[in-house]
Amino acid sequence: MATVADLLKRPDVKETVLKTVQLDGQVVLKIMQHCDGAQPSIVTGQLLGLDVGQTMEVTDCFPFPSPEDDGDSSTNYQLDMMRCLREVNVDNNTVGWYQSSVLGQYQTQEMIETFISYHDSIKKCVCIVYDPQRQQRGQLGLRAIRLKDSFIELFKEQKLTGKDLREAGVGWRDVFVEVPIKIHHSSLAQALIADLNPAPGATAGDLERLSLANAGYLSKTMANLIECMDDMLAEQGKVSMYHRNVARQQQQMAAWLQKRNQENIARRAAGEEPLPEEDPVLFKPIPEPSALDQYLVTSQIAGYCDMLGAAAEKGMAKMYLVQAAQKAAQH
């Protein structure tokens, strides 16, 4: 019997593009409970579900052991969990993993390497990134992240220099791809939500959403942005050093070639064989530094700028709303 991988290799069968990640309500609650309880540590867990056409249905999840645990025990724990879920007839197909983040920081090389390790067996692997700080500010703190297929091929071939990425047309926006999330509830849960009566009048949660106190959030975001700018300067320094070394090597090569030409002229005049005008041992090509770290830092900077812009826009809206409420109360 032909497997799914064999069918995808056939020219008449094409792999569908993932357009939506559907999370069950219990999966969202489990992720939030695990990540909120472990703050400020970064925790991870396994996502289980089904690949249905253009939708990745995530129906269950379970947390990974803490990094302090032994690696063998962690692997055995995952295998035992998968076996137990299979015995109770629960979806045990791995579709990715989830992890927590601090102020939206997830663009790391470790995440890329994890994606690559999953990609060999799970082509549509996704990572759910949960930001507790964003959730506390009244925003959905969940993101579904994937790696772009074109970047995966370049990473596997280790073509990560600036020249290789430019020739492939891969920019810093083409590393991570965010997939829309859809939260799904069972019919019983929807019936329960519809049956619940909303609280009359304004609640404490409604008043908290009008709070203008966001100085701590903005200061932390600005500090992380400044740190990313320092990292960007360091990456630019590496590129500048590379170009200086290349220019210095070219000057040395030109001087050596001129000297060798003069020696060959003298040897020809003396009737001797000329020396070779190329020395592959003396002047080895200087490897160009990888542009991956620069791409990741640029992506982080763009994320922090978006967070600051959204916070400023939301703060201005709250300020105008509070001012209008004060004027209405005075009259």
Side-chain angles (χ1 to χ4, degrees), residues 306-317:
D306 293 340
M307 293 167 62
L308 289 172
E313 182 180 358
K314 192 174 182 180
M316 292 294 292

Side-chain angles (χ1 to χ4, degrees), residues 99-119:
Q99 71 175 50
S100 59
S101 66
V102 179
L103 291 178
Q105 294 181 355
Y106 64 88
Q107 303 94 333
T108 60
Q109 191 162 351
E110 289 77 9
M111 173 176 277
I112 294 177
E113 293 174 353
T114 306
F115 265 115
I116 298 300
S117 64
Y118 273 90
H119 185 264

Side-chain angles (χ1 to χ4, degrees), residues 28-91:
V28 177
L29 293 178
K30 286 182 179 180
I31 294 175
M32 294 175 62
Q33 182 180 10
H34 183 206
C35 297
D36 290 338
Q39 290 189 72
S41 301
I42 302 298
V43 293
T44 59
Q46 191 78 66
L47 296 178
L48 307 174
L50 297 172
D51 180 6
V52 183
Q54 297 179 345
T55 302
M56 182 68 74
E57 297 182 1
V58 182
T59 57
D60 204 352
C61 66
F62 63 87
F64 287 153
S66 61
E68 290 78 12
D69 296 338
D70 183 67
D72 295 337
S73 63
S74 176
T75 303
N76 295 332
Y77 169 79
Q78 298 179 33
L79 296 177
D80 292 340
M81 283 293 299
M82 301 285 284
R83 184 174 59 256
C84 292
L85 291 173
R86 184 171 60 252
E87 290 176 354
V88 296
N89 199 22
V90 176
D91 292 334

Side-chain angles (χ1 to χ4, degrees), residues 133-196:
Q133 289 79 12
R134 187 177 181 183
Q135 189 72 28
Q136 292 173 1
R137 292 180 54 81
Q139 302 176 358
L140 181 63
L142 293 172
R143 289 183 177 181
I145 305 299
R146 293 191 69 236
L147 284 184
K148 201 166 184 179
D149 294 336
S150 57
F151 176 79
I152 291 177
E153 299 300 328
L154 292 176
F155 189 88
K156 288 183 176 180
E157 299 174 0
Q158 287 299 305
K159 295 181 178 181
L160 300 176
T161 63
K163 180 180 178 181
D164 295 332
L165 294 173
R166 286 192 301 270
E167 291 178 352
V170 176
W172 63 268
R173 291 185 178 89
D174 300 323
V175 178
F176 294 102
V177 180
E178 186 170 352
V179 184
I181 291 179
K182 177 182 178 183
I183 299 179
H184 174 266
H185 296 287
S186 64
S187 300
L188 291 177
Q190 292 180 358
L192 177 61
I193 294 174
D195 189 60
L196 294 176

Side-chain angles (χ1 to χ4, degrees), residues 249 253 256-257 260 276-285:
Q249 186 185 62
M253 187 182 301
W256 179 86
L257 184 60
R260 178 56 59 89
E277 297 183 357
E278 295 182 359
D279 192 344
V281 179
L282 184 60
F283 300 104
K284 294 182 179 180

